Short mmCIF file of all heavy atoms in Angstrom, two decimals:
data_model
loop_
_atom_site.label_atom_id
_atom_site.label_comp_id
_atom_site.label_asym_id
_atom_site.label_seq_id
_atom_site.Cartn_x
_atom_site.Cartn_y
_atom_site.Cartn_z
N MET A 29 14.54 -2.29 50.60
CA MET A 29 14.08 -2.97 51.85
C MET A 29 12.54 -3.03 51.84
O MET A 29 11.89 -2.09 51.55
CB MET A 29 14.61 -2.20 53.04
CG MET A 29 13.94 -2.43 54.36
SD MET A 29 14.51 -1.48 55.60
CE MET A 29 13.43 -1.88 56.90
N ALA A 30 11.98 -4.22 52.12
CA ALA A 30 10.60 -4.37 52.13
C ALA A 30 10.26 -5.42 53.24
O ALA A 30 10.89 -6.41 53.41
CB ALA A 30 10.04 -4.95 50.83
N LEU A 31 9.29 -5.09 54.07
CA LEU A 31 8.84 -5.94 55.18
C LEU A 31 7.33 -5.89 55.34
O LEU A 31 6.71 -4.87 55.22
CB LEU A 31 9.41 -5.41 56.47
CG LEU A 31 9.01 -6.18 57.77
CD1 LEU A 31 9.60 -7.59 57.76
CD2 LEU A 31 9.55 -5.42 59.02
N ARG A 32 6.79 -7.10 55.39
CA ARG A 32 5.31 -7.16 55.46
C ARG A 32 4.97 -7.85 56.87
O ARG A 32 5.33 -8.90 57.26
CB ARG A 32 4.64 -8.19 54.38
CG ARG A 32 3.20 -8.19 54.34
CD ARG A 32 2.65 -9.06 53.17
NE ARG A 32 3.13 -8.44 51.90
CZ ARG A 32 2.44 -7.46 51.26
NH1 ARG A 32 1.33 -6.98 51.84
NH2 ARG A 32 2.76 -6.94 50.12
N ALA A 33 4.33 -6.93 57.82
CA ALA A 33 4.04 -7.29 59.13
C ALA A 33 2.72 -8.08 59.17
O ALA A 33 1.68 -7.40 59.01
CB ALA A 33 4.02 -6.11 60.13
N ALA A 34 2.66 -9.33 59.46
CA ALA A 34 1.43 -10.10 59.36
C ALA A 34 0.43 -9.71 60.49
O ALA A 34 -0.64 -9.70 60.29
CB ALA A 34 1.76 -11.61 59.42
N ASN A 35 0.97 -9.54 61.70
CA ASN A 35 0.11 -9.22 62.89
C ASN A 35 -0.75 -7.98 62.64
O ASN A 35 -1.93 -7.88 62.91
CB ASN A 35 0.81 -9.21 64.13
CG ASN A 35 1.37 -10.60 64.50
OD1 ASN A 35 0.81 -11.56 63.99
ND2 ASN A 35 2.43 -10.66 65.23
N SER A 36 -0.09 -6.87 62.20
CA SER A 36 -0.71 -5.57 62.13
C SER A 36 -1.33 -5.38 60.80
O SER A 36 -1.99 -4.38 60.51
CB SER A 36 0.30 -4.46 62.48
OG SER A 36 1.27 -4.45 61.55
N CYS A 37 -1.08 -6.35 59.89
CA CYS A 37 -1.56 -6.21 58.49
C CYS A 37 -1.11 -4.88 57.82
O CYS A 37 -1.87 -4.19 57.25
CB CYS A 37 -3.05 -6.28 58.38
SG CYS A 37 -3.71 -7.94 58.86
N SER A 38 0.17 -4.49 58.11
CA SER A 38 0.63 -3.22 57.52
C SER A 38 1.73 -3.54 56.61
O SER A 38 2.33 -4.62 56.55
CB SER A 38 1.09 -2.33 58.63
OG SER A 38 2.16 -2.97 59.40
N VAL A 39 2.05 -2.55 55.79
CA VAL A 39 3.10 -2.67 54.79
C VAL A 39 4.18 -1.53 55.13
O VAL A 39 3.86 -0.41 55.32
CB VAL A 39 2.64 -2.41 53.33
CG1 VAL A 39 3.73 -2.54 52.41
CG2 VAL A 39 1.57 -3.53 53.03
N PHE A 40 5.43 -1.92 55.23
CA PHE A 40 6.50 -0.96 55.48
C PHE A 40 7.48 -1.00 54.32
O PHE A 40 7.96 -2.07 53.94
CB PHE A 40 7.29 -1.45 56.82
CG PHE A 40 8.42 -0.60 57.09
CD1 PHE A 40 8.26 0.58 57.71
CD2 PHE A 40 9.74 -1.03 56.80
CE1 PHE A 40 9.38 1.36 58.01
CE2 PHE A 40 10.78 -0.17 57.00
CZ PHE A 40 10.61 0.98 57.72
N ARG A 41 7.68 0.21 53.78
CA ARG A 41 8.65 0.33 52.65
C ARG A 41 9.44 1.53 52.91
O ARG A 41 9.09 2.52 53.47
CB ARG A 41 7.83 0.54 51.36
CG ARG A 41 6.90 -0.47 50.90
CD ARG A 41 7.53 -1.57 50.25
NE ARG A 41 8.04 -1.07 48.89
CZ ARG A 41 8.55 -2.00 47.99
NH1 ARG A 41 8.67 -3.20 48.22
NH2 ARG A 41 8.92 -1.47 46.85
N SER A 42 10.76 1.39 52.54
CA SER A 42 11.63 2.59 52.67
C SER A 42 11.41 3.50 51.46
O SER A 42 10.92 3.08 50.52
CB SER A 42 13.13 2.17 52.72
OG SER A 42 13.56 1.75 51.45
N ALA A 43 11.82 4.75 51.56
CA ALA A 43 11.61 5.76 50.50
C ALA A 43 12.49 5.42 49.31
O ALA A 43 12.37 5.90 48.31
CB ALA A 43 11.87 7.10 51.02
N SER A 44 13.55 4.54 49.47
CA SER A 44 14.44 4.24 48.36
C SER A 44 13.75 3.13 47.56
O SER A 44 14.45 2.68 46.59
CB SER A 44 15.76 3.75 48.93
OG SER A 44 15.65 2.69 49.75
N SER A 45 12.59 2.59 47.82
CA SER A 45 11.97 1.61 46.96
C SER A 45 10.84 2.15 46.25
O SER A 45 9.74 1.97 46.69
CB SER A 45 11.66 0.36 47.72
OG SER A 45 11.77 0.60 49.07
N PRO A 46 10.99 2.87 45.11
CA PRO A 46 9.92 3.69 44.47
C PRO A 46 8.73 2.85 43.84
O PRO A 46 7.68 3.35 44.06
CB PRO A 46 10.66 4.44 43.43
CG PRO A 46 11.92 3.71 43.15
CD PRO A 46 12.29 3.06 44.44
N PRO A 47 9.00 1.68 43.28
CA PRO A 47 7.78 1.16 42.61
C PRO A 47 6.58 0.91 43.46
O PRO A 47 5.59 1.44 43.24
CB PRO A 47 8.37 -0.12 42.06
CG PRO A 47 9.82 0.05 41.88
CD PRO A 47 10.16 0.92 43.05
N LEU A 48 6.70 0.09 44.54
CA LEU A 48 5.55 -0.15 45.38
C LEU A 48 5.17 1.01 46.29
O LEU A 48 4.01 1.33 46.37
CB LEU A 48 5.90 -1.35 46.23
CG LEU A 48 4.72 -1.89 47.11
CD1 LEU A 48 3.50 -2.13 46.29
CD2 LEU A 48 5.10 -3.07 48.01
N SER A 49 6.14 1.68 46.90
CA SER A 49 5.72 2.82 47.75
C SER A 49 5.15 3.93 46.97
O SER A 49 4.23 4.51 47.37
CB SER A 49 7.00 3.34 48.53
OG SER A 49 7.93 3.83 47.59
N ALA A 50 5.62 4.21 45.79
CA ALA A 50 5.12 5.38 44.96
C ALA A 50 3.69 4.96 44.60
O ALA A 50 2.85 5.85 44.54
CB ALA A 50 5.98 5.55 43.70
N PHE A 51 3.53 3.69 44.22
CA PHE A 51 2.16 3.16 43.77
C PHE A 51 1.16 3.46 44.91
O PHE A 51 0.09 3.94 44.77
CB PHE A 51 2.35 1.76 43.31
CG PHE A 51 0.94 1.06 43.09
CD1 PHE A 51 0.18 1.48 41.90
CD2 PHE A 51 0.40 0.22 43.86
CE1 PHE A 51 -1.02 0.97 41.71
CE2 PHE A 51 -0.75 -0.42 43.68
CZ PHE A 51 -1.54 -0.02 42.59
N ARG A 52 1.53 2.89 46.12
CA ARG A 52 0.58 2.94 47.23
C ARG A 52 0.40 4.30 47.76
O ARG A 52 -0.72 4.65 48.23
CB ARG A 52 1.08 1.94 48.29
CG ARG A 52 0.94 0.48 47.87
CD ARG A 52 1.18 -0.44 48.98
NE ARG A 52 0.89 -1.76 48.54
CZ ARG A 52 1.18 -2.81 49.21
NH1 ARG A 52 1.79 -2.80 50.36
NH2 ARG A 52 0.84 -4.03 48.75
N THR A 53 1.46 5.16 47.83
CA THR A 53 1.30 6.52 48.26
C THR A 53 0.30 7.27 47.38
O THR A 53 -0.59 7.95 47.81
CB THR A 53 2.64 7.25 48.18
OG1 THR A 53 3.59 6.57 49.02
CG2 THR A 53 2.49 8.64 48.67
N CYS A 54 0.46 7.06 46.06
CA CYS A 54 -0.44 7.61 45.04
C CYS A 54 -1.82 7.14 45.31
O CYS A 54 -2.71 7.90 45.22
CB CYS A 54 0.07 7.27 43.63
SG CYS A 54 -1.03 7.98 42.41
N LEU A 55 -1.94 5.84 45.52
CA LEU A 55 -3.28 5.32 45.76
C LEU A 55 -3.98 5.89 46.91
O LEU A 55 -5.11 6.30 46.84
CB LEU A 55 -3.15 3.72 45.90
CG LEU A 55 -4.40 2.89 45.98
CD1 LEU A 55 -4.11 1.45 45.54
CD2 LEU A 55 -4.97 2.91 47.29
N PHE A 56 -3.26 5.95 48.09
CA PHE A 56 -3.93 6.41 49.30
C PHE A 56 -4.14 7.85 49.30
O PHE A 56 -5.20 8.37 49.68
CB PHE A 56 -3.07 6.10 50.49
CG PHE A 56 -3.33 4.66 51.01
CD1 PHE A 56 -2.62 3.65 50.43
CD2 PHE A 56 -4.18 4.52 52.03
CE1 PHE A 56 -2.79 2.38 50.89
CE2 PHE A 56 -4.37 3.18 52.48
CZ PHE A 56 -3.66 2.08 51.94
N ASN A 57 -3.26 8.62 48.67
CA ASN A 57 -3.41 10.17 48.60
C ASN A 57 -4.59 10.46 47.65
O ASN A 57 -5.44 11.33 47.99
CB ASN A 57 -2.16 10.81 48.03
CG ASN A 57 -1.07 10.81 49.06
OD1 ASN A 57 -1.28 10.64 50.25
ND2 ASN A 57 0.16 11.06 48.57
N ALA A 58 -4.71 9.76 46.55
CA ALA A 58 -5.69 10.01 45.56
C ALA A 58 -7.08 9.64 46.08
O ALA A 58 -8.03 10.31 45.76
CB ALA A 58 -5.39 9.23 44.33
N ARG A 59 -7.16 8.63 46.86
CA ARG A 59 -8.41 8.17 47.33
C ARG A 59 -8.89 8.83 48.73
O ARG A 59 -10.09 8.84 48.96
CB ARG A 59 -8.40 6.62 47.63
CG ARG A 59 -8.03 5.87 46.35
CD ARG A 59 -8.82 6.19 45.16
NE ARG A 59 -8.50 5.41 44.07
CZ ARG A 59 -8.76 5.67 42.84
NH1 ARG A 59 -9.51 6.82 42.54
NH2 ARG A 59 -8.42 4.95 41.82
#
Side-chain angles (χ1 to χ4, degrees):
M29 167 183 170
L31 176 67
R32 189 174 293 278
N35 293 335
S36 62
C37 297
S38 62
V39 177
F40 177 78
R41 301 274 294 186
S42 74
S44 63
S45 10
L48 183 58
S49 66
F51 171 72
R52 290 191 171 168
T53 301
C54 177
L55 187 153
F56 278 83
N57 288 342
R59 303 308 182 196

